[in-house]
């Protein structure tokens, strides 16, 4: 949610900022801007639209020269996406510029107070209140800018990742965070700051993760971190694991397609070293210290948002099946605000691709405050949720850039599968059953590889349905969450209204919608519920609904009832979400492309939702 980037060093900053913003664009893309300090001037350029529009304007106007600067790509919270509301924002005299990710919650009160003091506001943003507040503090105290920023931040309620540069000090970049992620990249005589690692990878692998309530002052000669309360801190430099190749499209037209196609490898990476076929066990290093507590848990509460919430639902089925521990799945945003009843013996497990989702992070903090063990299933190494949970398991799926989550979902389900099987060790599964389960898990990447060959077929199906206005997705058991995920994928990238439902629930409402204009996607794998699902397919076919079914290889029984039948490799029932979701990802992708939608940057969405 909004991406910010900053640089101080010896290189020309224009390209560093613009490339950085392009890498951060999945966080927000309604407007963008940069501010550069050079030759006694602060030059700001910002405008509505994508980063590419900003790049085009700057190319035709001539690049901004300078070796110190900040940039921003916006996901609007307060105020329309227009030129005025775009960041950076400057103070009245234009001496300093600021970019901000987050929400200044008390901006109304600050704005009123500052207006009374004579400040005029050019934008409708909450951010501008912070800019004028810093200015006001500086005027009143004559303190150096970094100190004025720190003191102003003590008056702010809300969330922020900010970066500030000033014409008065061309050797100064200030950054601070509270609730919005910020990483510092350390180079030779140069420093970078960014909302996440994507803009840093091509410049440095040495990073410092800033924590909430920390402010960093960067000069070409070094950096110093303090708390907002002014306590000096020593920070550890860590090594970044990302590769540049991982954050580029590598010949694919879209990140989403690349990430769908990468799933055999991301799943292999996720299970590497963890799935021990010879020893007939699962090894999850990140959970070793808490395993006894987890095994003894009375209840597991899984909190997440979006696609991660769908993975959580699969996790509920998995953990209850294998560990026989009751599981509750909560939207993180609901959990945090209803004073949840947590008891001794509860474990809160959160799932997040980014590790930065504000509501999911708040769920972690709520649980910790009540003394509950918190576990994280997170993709982004070093992210806030990864650092704040007591223990956890990384996905190792590699960076996911497409806003619609794909490879993170399958890796999340795989990690939850491994956690469930770990909990079943010497408990609910015999050695032979465990061996059978592990063998089936190990075959999943190859089966995904095989089913990706259906891409062409799915493209043809997409062609038939590209003008649909509605879609219904139905599944049962382990595949009910997949129905939800299939519907979410379609609606978020193609803007077709789609709903996911448990297949049997169809009779309690959605059946009223069925007519020949309603495509219905059934997940009808040959498992315990197959016959029931076939009855549901009959019911839809009888009402002229147009059925697309996903079923097992070799199953010809559905052909007479369905418009299209997608046959995928067979696996154990508990592993089927790892396969059944893939054709749904591809179907959504192709429909969206055919409708001319921007697949990687769907309207109004952002990949990392760091505001409530
Ligand atoms: C946003 C993204 C989704 C994602 C959700 C949760 O809505 O667009 O793709 O599933 O946030 O994000 P997280 O990073 O916590 O998994």
């Amino acid at each position: 949610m909004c991406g910010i980037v900053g640089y101080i060093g010896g290189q020309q900053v224009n390209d560093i900022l613009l490339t950085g913003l392009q890498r951060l664009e999945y966080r927000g893309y309604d407007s963008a801007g940069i501010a550069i300090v050079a030759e006694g001037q602060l030059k700001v350029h910002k405008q509505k639209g994508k980063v590419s529009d900003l790049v085009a304007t700057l190319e035709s106007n001539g690049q901004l020269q300078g070796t110190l600067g900040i940039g921003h790509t916006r996901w609007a919270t307060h105020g329309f996406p227009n030129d005025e509301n775009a960041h950076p924002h400057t103070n009245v005299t234009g001496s300093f510029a600021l970019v901000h990710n987050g929400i200044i919650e008390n901006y109304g009160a600050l704005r009123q107070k500052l207006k009374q003091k004579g400040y005029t506001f050019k934008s409708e943003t909450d951010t501008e209140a912070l800019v004028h507040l810093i200015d006001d503090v500086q005027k009143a105290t004559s303190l150096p800018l970094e100190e004025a920023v720190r003191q102003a931040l003590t008056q702010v309620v809300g969330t922020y990742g900010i970066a500030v540069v000033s014409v008065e000090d061309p050797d100064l970049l200030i950054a601070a965070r509270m609730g919005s992620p910020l990483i510092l990249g350390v180079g030779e005589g140069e420093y970078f700051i960014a909302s996440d690692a994507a803009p840093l990878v091509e410049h440095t692998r040495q990073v410092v993760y800033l924590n909430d309530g920390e402010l960093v002052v960067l000069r070409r000669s070094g950096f110093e971190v303090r708390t907002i309360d002014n306590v000096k801190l020593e920070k550890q430099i860590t090594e970044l694991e990302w590769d540049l190749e991982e954050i580029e499209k590598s010949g694919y037209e879209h990140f989403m397609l690349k990430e769908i196609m990468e799933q055999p490898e991301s799943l292999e990476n996720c299970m590497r070293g963890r799935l021990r076929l010879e020893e007939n066990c699962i090894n999850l290093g990140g959970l070793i210290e808490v395993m006894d507590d987890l095994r003894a848990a009375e209840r597991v509460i899984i909190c997440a948002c979006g696609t991660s919430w769908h993975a959580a639902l699969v996790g509920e089925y998995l953990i209850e099946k294998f560990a026989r521990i009751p599981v509750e799945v909560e939207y993180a945003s609901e959990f945090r605000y209803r004073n949840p009843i947590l008891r001794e013996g509860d474990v809160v497990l959160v799932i997040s691709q980014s590790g930065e989702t504000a509501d999911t992070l708040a769920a972690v903090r709520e649980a910790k405050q009540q003394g509950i063990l918190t576990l994280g299933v997170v993709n982004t190494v070093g992210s806030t949720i990864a650092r704040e949970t007591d223990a956890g398991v990384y996905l190792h799926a590699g960076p996911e850039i497409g806003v619609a989550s794909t490879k993170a979902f399958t890796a999340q389900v795989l990690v939850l599968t491994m956690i469930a099987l770990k909990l079943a060790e010497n408990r609910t599964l015999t050695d032979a059953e465990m061996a059978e389960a592990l063998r089936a898990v190990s075959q999943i990447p190859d089966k995904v590889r095989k089913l990706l060959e259906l891409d062409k077929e799915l493209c043809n199906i997409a062609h038939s349905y590209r003008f649909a206005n509605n879609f219904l997705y139905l599944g049962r058991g382990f595949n009910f969450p997949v129905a939800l995920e299939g519907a979410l994928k379609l609606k978020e990238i193609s803007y077709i209204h789609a709903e996911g439902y448990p297949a049997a629930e169809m009779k309690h409402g959605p059946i009223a919608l069925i007519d020949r204009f309603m495509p219905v996607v059934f997940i009808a794998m040959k498992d315990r519920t197959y016959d029931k699902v076939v009855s549901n397919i009959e019911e839809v076919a009888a009402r002229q609904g147009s059925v697309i079914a996903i079923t097992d290889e070799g199953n010809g029984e559905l052909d007479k009832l369905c418009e299209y039948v997608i046959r995928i490799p067979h696996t154990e029932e508990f592993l089927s979400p790892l396969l059944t979701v893939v054709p749904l990802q591809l179907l959504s992708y192709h429909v969206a492309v055919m409708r001319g939608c921007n697949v990687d940057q769907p309207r109004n969405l952002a990949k990392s939702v760091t505001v409530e």
Side-chain angles (χ1 to χ4, degrees):
M1 198 129 292
C2 298
I4 66 178
V5 63
Y7 174 80
I8 182 166
Q11 300 185 58
Q12 284 299 318
V13 73
N14 188 91
D15 284 354
I16 294 176
L17 296 180
L18 293 176
T19 313
L21 290 182
Q22 265 155 347
R23 299 216 186 281
L24 287 174
E25 206 169 9
Y26 65 88
R27 304 179 65 87
Y29 31 81
D30 57 47
S31 52
I34 59 174
I36 293 182
V37 175
E39 296 157 1
Q41 282 183 292
L42 175 68
K43 295 172 201 154
V44 179
H45 193 93
K46 56 182 191 167
Q47 65 184 64
K48 178 176 184 295
K50 307 247 180 223
V51 176
S52 54
D53 300 325
L54 177 71
V55 171
T57 310
L58 288 169
E59 267 169 13
S60 56
N61 290 1
Q63 293 196 340
L64 304 181
Q65 301 294 307
T67 57
L68 167 66
I70 53 178
H72 187 269
T73 176
R74 182 169 184 246
W75 186 90
T77 60
H78 295 62
F80 281 119
N82 57 26
D83 293 356
E84 290 72 39
N85 291 333
H87 297 218
H89 291 280
T90 51
N91 62 333
V92 180
T93 59
S95 67
F96 71 85
L98 178 147
V99 288
H100 169 222
N101 167 27
I103 295 179
I104 308 296
E105 287 169 13
N106 60 338
Y107 84 101
L110 290 173
R111 209 173 155 108
Q112 204 177 0
K113 195 172 92 182
L114 290 158
K115 273 186 176 170
Q116 279 162 6
K117 289 187 171 189
Y119 283 93
T120 50
F121 282 74
K122 288 177 281 191
S123 77
E124 302 150 301
T125 63
D126 50 331
T127 305
E128 199 180 355
L130 175 59
V131 173
H132 294 323
L133 179 65
I134 295 168
D135 186 87
D136 185 45
V137 172
Q138 200 180 23
K139 272 202 196 118
T141 58
S142 303
L143 286 166
L145 183 61
E146 60 270 34
E147 190 49 22
V149 169
R150 190 189 66 72
Q151 290 197 10
L153 290 177
T154 62
Q155 299 178 43
V156 159
V157 178
T159 54
Y160 54 79
I162 59 162
V164 186
V165 289
S166 164
V167 73
E168 280 156 12
D169 192 342
D171 190 29
L172 174 69
L173 170 62
I174 306 160
R177 76 162 268 181
M178 177 69 80
S180 300
L182 211 51
I183 303 181
L184 162 62
V186 180
E188 290 281 320
E190 60 180 4
Y191 296 98
F192 305 79
I193 56 106
S195 299
D196 70 31
L200 309 182
V201 198
E202 62 208 89
H203 303 290
T204 178
R205 269 154 207 284
Q206 309 287 304
V207 298
V208 174
Y209 294 103
L210 293 180
N211 289 322
D212 279 353
E214 292 180 358
L215 178 142
V216 60
V217 174
L218 304 147
R219 297 187 183 278
R220 289 176 180 81
S221 55
F223 71 94
E224 190 179 275
V225 179
R226 290 183 175 270
T227 64
I228 303 295
D229 305 331
N230 211 14
V231 178
K232 194 168 172 229
L233 301 170
E234 288 305 321
K235 298 291 288 186
Q236 212 192 335
I237 297 181
T238 44
E239 185 90 9
L240 206 59
E241 287 176 6
W242 289 15
D243 281 330
L244 190 55
E245 203 181 272
E246 288 181 309
I247 56 169
E248 304 215 304
K249 284 191 204 153
S250 314
Y252 284 98
E253 203 179 330
H254 297 101
F255 279 111
M256 183 183 178
L257 184 60
K258 175 184 176 233
E259 288 156 6
I260 292 172
M261 294 298 177
E262 271 172 2
Q263 289 177 108
E265 292 77 36
S266 56
L267 290 167
E268 274 164 358
N269 291 339
C270 180
M271 63 175 74
R272 181 163 300 123
R274 293 166 167 173
L275 201 73
R276 303 271 177 95
L277 295 183
E278 300 83 54
E279 295 149 57
N280 201 27
C281 70
I282 299 271
N283 174 42
L284 295 171
L287 294 184
I288 287 174
E289 290 187 5
V290 297
M291 210 22 131
D292 288 345
D293 291 331
L294 185 53
R295 279 170 175 274
E298 302 271 333
R299 183 171 67 141
V300 176
I301 299 156
I302 313 183
C303 296
C305 303
T307 289
S308 300
W309 186 80
H310 295 154
L313 289 177
V314 182
E316 176 180 20
Y317 285 79
L318 287 163
I319 295 173
E320 293 200 342
K321 172 182 168 72
F322 286 110
R324 304 303 298 153
I325 299 172
V327 178
E328 282 171 32
V329 177
E330 298 255 12
Y331 286 113
S333 53
E334 292 298 313
F335 175 83
R336 61 179 294 195
Y337 279 117
R338 60 177 178 73
N339 193 10
I341 301 168
L342 294 172
R343 294 178 297 250
E344 208 185 323
D346 285 345
V347 172
V348 167
L349 187 156
V350 298
I351 306 175
S352 175
Q353 186 288 128
S354 62
E356 301 292 351
T357 301
D359 286 319
T360 311
L361 177 59
V364 172
R365 290 178 177 163
E366 171 71 36
K368 281 182 92 169
Q369 209 191 353
Q370 296 200 38
I372 298 297
L373 176 67
T374 57
L375 309 179
V377 172
V378 171
N379 195 31
T380 309
V381 175
S383 57
T384 311
I385 292 174
R387 285 179 290 137
E388 292 202 11
T389 40
D390 296 310
V393 184
Y394 278 121
L395 303 183
H396 295 318
E400 190 180 65
I401 313 286
V403 167
S405 185
T406 52
K407 66 174 181 174
F409 175 80
T410 45
Q412 286 165 343
V413 170
L414 177 58
V415 165
L416 292 163
T417 306
M418 292 191 286
I419 292 176
L421 289 173
K422 182 80 200 161
L423 289 170
E425 248 173 48
N426 307 321
R427 201 159 146 174
T428 53
L429 290 187
T430 62
D431 283 355
E433 286 166 338
M434 180 62 87
E436 183 57 24
L438 297 185
R439 193 190 51 78
V441 177
S442 72
Q443 292 172 345
I444 289 293
D446 276 340
K447 290 185 174 174
V448 173
R449 213 165 262 128
K450 184 145 186 252
L451 75 80
L452 286 170
E453 290 168 11
L454 296 171
D455 186 40
K456 192 107 200 292
E457 195 180 319
L458 285 151
C459 192
N460 290 338
I461 299 174
H463 195 261
S464 304
Y465 292 98
R466 67 195 190 283
F467 297 123
N469 291 321
N470 295 288
F471 253 87
L472 193 57
Y473 286 73
L474 300 172
R476 285 183 82 138
F478 281 96
N479 281 308
F480 157 52
V482 176
L484 296 179
E485 176 59 9
L488 176 65
K489 279 296 82 86
L490 187 74
K491 76 182 121 188
E492 66 185 344
I493 60 168
S494 72
Y495 319 138
I496 295 175
H497 169 249
E499 275 192 70
Y501 246 79
E505 270 295 301
M506 179 189 70
K507 288 199 279 299
H508 300 285
I511 198 164
L513 300 169
I514 307 288
D515 60 18
R516 67 198 168 88
F517 302 112
M518 176 64 103
V520 185
V521 178
F522 271 97
I523 305 161
M525 302 308 289
K526 284 241 168 183
D527 57 27
R528 282 173 307 153
T529 60
Y530 175 72
D531 291 339
K532 308 280 173 208
V533 174
V534 174
S535 304
N536 299 141
I537 295 178
E538 298 264 12
E539 287 152 12
V540 171
R543 287 161 182 82
Q544 293 186 299
S546 177
V547 178
I548 305 154
I550 296 172
T551 192
D552 299 77
E553 246 165 24
N555 180 10
E557 291 164 13
L558 302 176
D559 294 16
K560 59 183 183 311
L561 293 172
C562 304
E563 210 80 39
Y564 293 98
V565 178
I566 303 157
R567 280 171 260 267
I568 66 170
H570 179 76
T571 185
E572 300 292 328
E573 183 180 344
F574 73 94
L575 293 171
S576 68
L578 292 166
L579 303 187
T580 52
V581 75
V582 178
L584 302 188
Q585 296 168 343
L586 284 168
L587 180 67
S588 311
Y589 171 78
H590 289 299
V591 169
V593 170
M594 284 170 198
R595 287 167 70 97
C597 300
N598 185 339
V599 172
D600 282 336
Q601 294 171 352
R603 71 180 176 213
N604 303 338
L605 292 177
K607 181 132 193 89
S608 181
V609 180
T610 54
V611 296
E612 289 180 36

